Every structure is written in C-alpha cells, then in structure tokens.
Amino acid sequence: MLETFKRFLSSKGKVNDKYLPFYLKWITEGYRYLDIPLSQAITNEQKSQFLKHLSKSHED
C-alpha cells in the first residue's frame, strides 16, 4: 500500500520527491500507533486520535 501511496503523492506533483520518505514515515507511524493493517482505511476519528497523540510530543 505504501508504494501505491508514494506513487500517488509523486504523480500529483504536490509533494517534492525528497519529502516522500517523511510522509511515508508518518503514515507508517500512524498505522502502528492505531494498531491496524496498512490495507485498512483509517477514519477521521482515528486520524484525529493519532494527531492528538503526536501533539503531545511534537511541535506543529
């Protein structure tokens, strides 16, 4: 799934290729934190839960 997401980000031209590893890292961390497989879509509630978790230890 991550390879597909990486191609999507790259093909849309919205993300510079040198930043792709950071996007993929945070996606992986989110799924790891939520303890769900990468093949499963996350809900807005789950996304908010992960971002709240991140805000406790990272700056905006």
Side-chain angles (χ1 to χ4, degrees):
M1 181 202 136
L2 286 180
E3 190 59 37
T4 303
F5 184 62
K6 180 180 177 182
R7 283 193 308 270
F8 169 78
L9 290 175
S10 184
S11 70
K12 295 297 178 186
K14 301 288 183 184
V15 177
N16 187 310
D17 285 347
K18 73 179 184 179
Y19 298 119
L20 286 174
F22 296 105
Y23 279 77
L24 299 178
K25 174 192 178 290
W26 288 115
I27 294 296
T28 303
E29 291 295 321
Y31 274 87
R32 186 175 297 133
Y33 172 77
L34 295 167
D35 195 29
I36 59 175
L38 288 169
S39 59
Q40 181 179 330
I42 62 171
T43 65
N44 285 335
E45 184 178 325
Q46 289 170 315
K47 187 183 344 174
S48 294
Q49 180 184 357
F50 176 60
L51 292 174
K52 184 177 179 180
H53 165 74
L54 278 181
S55 71
K56 294 176 184 177
S57 60
H58 293 80
E59 294 182 27
D60 286 345

